[in-house]
């Protein structure tokens, strides 16, 4: 669920040209060219990390076992 949330947040931020900011910042900081695919992959990776943290904390077990 966290993965989809972060992808939707990335998509909404792209309406305000946030991906251009991220791409330019990445270019200036690391001297590497990235694309919009990398922009969305960054949000996907943060979502995966969030899901792993929730899994380790047991939040998913509480959600699914209490239903």
């Amino acid at each position: 669920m966290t993965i989809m949330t972060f992808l939707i947040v990335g998509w909404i931020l792209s309406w305000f040209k946030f991906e251009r900011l991220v791409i330019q910042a990445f270019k200036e900081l690391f001297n590497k060219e990235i694309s919009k695919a990398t922009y969305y992959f960054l949000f996907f990776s943060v979502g995966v990390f969030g899901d792993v943290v929730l899994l380790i904390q047991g939040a998913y077990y509480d959600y699914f076992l209490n239903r």
Side-chain angles (χ1 to χ4, degrees):
M1 186 66 178
T2 308
I3 296 170
M4 289 304 297
T5 303
F6 273 95
L7 285 174
I8 291 171
V9 166
W11 179 56
I12 292 171
L13 287 174
S14 71
W15 295 347
F16 303 102
K17 308 298 183 207
F18 186 73
E19 81 274 0
R20 289 184 185 175
L21 175 74
V22 171
I23 291 170
Q24 184 65 32
F26 200 89
K27 182 179 178 183
E28 289 180 10
L29 289 173
F30 303 111
N31 201 22
K32 297 283 184 184
E33 292 283 334
I34 64 171
S35 65
K36 285 187 179 183
T38 307
Y39 167 77
Y40 285 110
F41 182 74
L42 290 172
F43 280 94
F44 174 81
S45 299
V46 171
V48 168
F49 181 73
D51 274 343
V52 168
V53 168
L54 289 175
L55 183 66
I56 291 171
Q57 289 179 346
Y60 283 132
Y61 299 119
D62 293 339
Y63 179 76
F64 288 114
L65 292 177
N66 291 330
R67 287 195 156 229

